[in-house]
Every structure is written in C-alpha cells, then in structure tokens.
Amino acid sequence: MDRIILHSDLNNFFASVEAAKNPLLRGKVFAVAGDPEKRHGIILAKSQPAKELGISTGEVIWQAKLKCPDLILVKPDMVSYHRYSKRVHEIYRRFTDTIEPFGIDEAWLDVTGSTRLFGSGEEIARKIRHAVKEELGLTVSIGVSFNKIFAKLGSDLKKPDATTIISRDNFKAVVHPLPITALLFVGRSTREKLERYGIKKIGHLANADPNFLKNLLGKNGLLLYHYANGSDIGSTLLSQTPPAKSIGNSVTTAYDLTTEQEIRIQLMMLAEHIAARLREQNVAGALIHISIRDRNLRTITRQKQLELPTNHAPAIADAAFSLFQQHYDLSTPVRSIGIGVGNLSSDTGNLQLSLWDPEHKRVNEQNLDHAVDHLRNRYGFNCVVRAGCLHHQLKNYTLTNDPQAPSSLCTLPGCRH
Ligand SMILES: [Mg+2]
C-alpha cells in the first residue's frame, strides 16, 4: 500500500508571524530584514503585498527600497518564530506522530495510519490548514502525495493557503512538465550539467537513460531518475526529533561584568529563557551547570545537583548564582556566562521552586509561571520582564545557545530561544 505523505510549508513565515503578532502590519507592504538600520541588511521574509511588488527574499534592503520606497522594515524576532513553529507542530501532532521537520517552517507528515480517524490525505491537509489559520492566524501550503519528494514539490506549486494533490494517476501530467529545479536536490550545478544535454524538465529526467545519469552525476543521478519516476527510494521519514538531554543558554555581554549584582541579573535573565523552554516542553531538570569565561578567555564549568527537578527561573538562577559564588572570585572580570539544566525528566509533579519558599507559596509560583507563559505566547517573550532586569544596561546583550548544552533544541544562529 502506498504511504500518504504531506509536506506542509508555512507561507511567508517570518512575515506572517509578525502580522499575527501585530495587527497594524496586516495587509501592509512590509518585510522582515536582518538589520533594518543598515542599507546592506538582507530581506529575510516579505508580506504577500510586498511579494506582489517584486520584493524577494535574500535581496539587500537598498535594492528592495528601489522597488518600493515605502517598504516597512521589521526586525526578526526568532523567539516568536520558534514559538509559532512549535505551536504549528502541536497541530500536526493531532494527526500523526511521524513528523520530520525541514527547517523552521516546513515539515513532512506521514499520515498513512491516520486516515480512519481523520479522513483522506486531502481531508487531513484541509483540517491542518483550517486549524493553523484559525488558531494561529498563519497559512500553509500543503502537498499530498505517495512520497516525500512529490509532497514537497506539491507544497511549492500553489501558494498561499492551498493544497496540491500529486497521485500515481496524475504525477506524469502534473510533475513531468515542470523544470528540473522544482525537484528537491537539483541545485545550480546539477541543473547546468543536465541542461547541457537538453534535460530541462522533470519528464526529460524520467525518460533519460539511468546509466547516462549515473555517469554524469554519480549516485545522485540515479536518485534523481527514481525521484522523477515517482519512486521514493532512500527517503524514509524520520520520526520526531529526540527530546533534548539538557537545555541551556549562554551570553557574551556587551561589556565585562565586574560585580556580583551584574552577574546575578545576568543569570536571572538566562534562567528566565531556560525555564520557559523547559516548561514549554513539559520537562524539569535537577542538574544545574554554569560556564564562566573570563576576560582572558579562561573558561570554567561547575555543576550541582538539586534535590528536586525544577523549571522555575528563580530556582535555576539561585542555584547558578550559588555555584558562581562558590567557585569564582571576580578578581578577573567575566566576559561571558552560561547556564545549562540537565537530567531532564517529564515528571513535573513535585518541583523545586524558590529554595526558601513555604509550601503554599509554591502553588502561587507555579500559577504565576503558567500565566506568564500564556502572556508570552500571545504577546512575545519580552512582554513580561522581571523588575530587577528591566532598566539594566545588560539589556543590550546577545544570547547564544550554550555549547555546553549541545542537545538544546534551537540551533539557529542568533536565536534567543
Ligand atoms: Mg515557507
């Protein structure tokens, strides 16, 4: 029996999230750009009206401004993009457990085993599009096919907010007239090689001599031949990414830190992000580790075990600060600092909260965490900030994922998640 594979692609993802967050941007000609203050920043995403004016991803701001002088530019907010991406994946998970992410805004879903519950592949695609639009205000284009390659190709054919079906019956009519670059893995150099021999369309690939393709492109040539003919060899769907073993963040501050108060505030800011990520994944960790790099680039790492696991920012910050006080004397200023939380478990029934809190206060703290998570999901991470961190100069910092926590979920450069 054929598998039923969906490939779901969020349309104009970064720009759509910005419009979902800020109603004033809806329907406007705007783009998300790497560094809006610099003329040479790059356009990372554009709204649908901007797309219609010819603004394209990857072009530099001054070029885009030539096409559209009134183009509104928005800074990227990776924290929100990750949160939205996760919420979209939660919707996917209602329909299947077999999901293979492809970047932040695309994923394959194997729904072969889900049709009795939810209907045909086309019906599931419709339900996903509806849920994503209703619940998150975003649109997706979905390709439905019997293999990953055609599902991916299908999601590119109609945009935005559309479903494309590529079946065994119609794939020759739909896919074969398309240029070879519509096929995943056909980049510029492969295209140039194939075009030299008149192979310009996917149908040409499908009808070429497989030995010729193998001689021209090696193994990849054979693979492309099979893809063009609708066989999906070697492209099994991965299931969910494995859960993280630890979650951490580190920061290199704008200036070296010299006082305990600065360290404490910095640790609190890191702990806030880490705790939110732990709660988002419904996990808690009992191993707290810190890494400190001094002005001379000497790094030390220390760790301690808590009695109970935690996903509460003050408990993480307290443990990290006590480690710092025990192991570092501040005679050399600190250049960067990081926290990781390990030994993660999904048992979040009995958590370590602030070390000195009486029992009744714990419930309040947990309720507060949930309320803050809820607000941040809706209005962005920085809508709630601890008063102690609010006006501090340390706000001007760059947060990076902690190299000590390689299995943390976020790997995008510049991501603060
Ligand atoms: Mg996309």
PDB file of all heavy atoms in Angstrom, residues 9-13 105-106, ligand 1:
ATOM      1  N   ASP A   9       4.169  23.638   4.328  1.00  0.00           N
ATOM      2  CA  ASP A   9       5.103  24.761   4.239  1.00  0.00           C
ATOM      3  C   ASP A   9       4.365  26.033   4.658  1.00  0.00           C
ATOM      4  O   ASP A   9       3.387  26.423   4.025  1.00  0.00           O
ATOM      5  CB  ASP A   9       5.595  24.861   2.783  1.00  0.00           C
ATOM      6  CG  ASP A   9       6.672  25.920   2.603  1.00  0.00           C
ATOM      7  OD1 ASP A   9       6.967  26.642   3.575  1.00  0.00           O
ATOM      8  OD2 ASP A   9       7.207  26.022   1.479  1.00  0.00           O
ATOM      9  N   LEU A  10       4.826  26.644   5.744  1.00  0.00           N
ATOM     10  CA  LEU A  10       4.194  27.887   6.200  1.00  0.00           C
ATOM     11  C   LEU A  10       4.528  29.012   5.225  1.00  0.00           C
ATOM     12  O   LEU A  10       5.688  29.197   4.866  1.00  0.00           O
ATOM     13  CB  LEU A  10       4.703  28.231   7.604  1.00  0.00           C
ATOM     14  CG  LEU A  10       4.115  27.346   8.700  1.00  0.00           C
ATOM     15  CD1 LEU A  10       5.129  27.080   9.797  1.00  0.00           C
ATOM     16  CD2 LEU A  10       2.870  28.001   9.276  1.00  0.00           C
ATOM     17  N   ASN A  11       3.515  29.742   4.804  1.00  0.00           N
ATOM     18  CA  ASN A  11       3.723  30.784   3.793  1.00  0.00           C
ATOM     19  C   ASN A  11       4.321  32.046   4.407  1.00  0.00           C
ATOM     20  O   ASN A  11       3.851  32.523   5.437  1.00  0.00           O
ATOM     21  CB  ASN A  11       2.388  31.141   3.134  1.00  0.00           C
ATOM     22  CG  ASN A  11       1.688  29.911   2.546  1.00  0.00           C
ATOM     23  OD1 ASN A  11       0.545  29.630   2.856  1.00  0.00           O
ATOM     24  ND2 ASN A  11       2.384  29.173   1.701  1.00  0.00           N
ATOM     25  N   ASN A  12       5.328  32.584   3.762  1.00  0.00           N
ATOM     26  CA  ASN A  12       5.979  33.839   4.193  1.00  0.00           C
ATOM     27  C   ASN A  12       6.140  33.854   5.714  1.00  0.00           C
ATOM     28  O   ASN A  12       5.722  34.800   6.388  1.00  0.00           O
ATOM     29  CB  ASN A  12       5.146  35.063   3.793  1.00  0.00           C
ATOM     30  CG  ASN A  12       4.747  35.020   2.337  1.00  0.00           C
ATOM     31  OD1 ASN A  12       5.486  34.521   1.501  1.00  0.00           O
ATOM     32  ND2 ASN A  12       3.562  35.517   2.038  1.00  0.00           N
ATOM     33  N   PHE A  13       6.772  32.807   6.243  1.00  0.00           N
ATOM     34  CA  PHE A  13       6.617  32.509   7.666  1.00  0.00           C
ATOM     35  C   PHE A  13       6.958  33.677   8.604  1.00  0.00           C
ATOM     36  O   PHE A  13       6.127  34.093   9.415  1.00  0.00           O
ATOM     37  CB  PHE A  13       7.443  31.272   8.025  1.00  0.00           C
ATOM     38  CG  PHE A  13       7.376  30.893   9.467  1.00  0.00           C
ATOM     39  CD1 PHE A  13       6.158  30.751  10.105  1.00  0.00           C
ATOM     40  CD2 PHE A  13       8.531  30.680  10.207  1.00  0.00           C
ATOM     41  CE1 PHE A  13       6.080  30.389  11.446  1.00  0.00           C
ATOM     42  CE2 PHE A  13       8.463  30.324  11.541  1.00  0.00           C
ATOM     43  CZ  PHE A  13       7.242  30.184  12.170  1.00  0.00           C
ATOM     44  N   ASP A 105      10.079  26.200   9.132  1.00  0.00           N
ATOM     45  CA  ASP A 105       8.727  26.443   8.625  1.00  0.00           C
ATOM     46  C   ASP A 105       8.185  25.339   7.715  1.00  0.00           C
ATOM     47  O   ASP A 105       7.136  25.500   7.119  1.00  0.00           O
ATOM     48  CB  ASP A 105       8.672  27.797   7.899  1.00  0.00           C
ATOM     49  CG  ASP A 105       9.547  27.816   6.657  1.00  0.00           C
ATOM     50  OD1 ASP A 105      10.514  27.042   6.601  1.00  0.00           O
ATOM     51  OD2 ASP A 105       9.256  28.607   5.742  1.00  0.00           O
ATOM     52  N   GLU A 106       8.900  24.216   7.627  1.00  0.00           N
ATOM     53  CA  GLU A 106       8.404  23.143   6.769  1.00  0.00           C
ATOM     54  C   GLU A 106       8.493  21.809   7.512  1.00  0.00           C
ATOM     55  O   GLU A 106       9.337  21.646   8.394  1.00  0.00           O
ATOM     56  CB  GLU A 106       9.247  23.019   5.487  1.00  0.00           C
ATOM     57  CG  GLU A 106       9.244  24.271   4.638  1.00  0.00           C
ATOM     58  CD  GLU A 106      10.066  24.126   3.359  1.00  0.00           C
ATOM     59  OE1 GLU A 106      10.217  22.990   2.867  1.00  0.00           O
ATOM     60  OE2 GLU A 106      10.547  25.158   2.871  1.00  0.00           O
TER      61      GLU A 106
HETATM   62 MG    MG B   1       7.811  28.621   3.907  1.00  0.00          MG
END
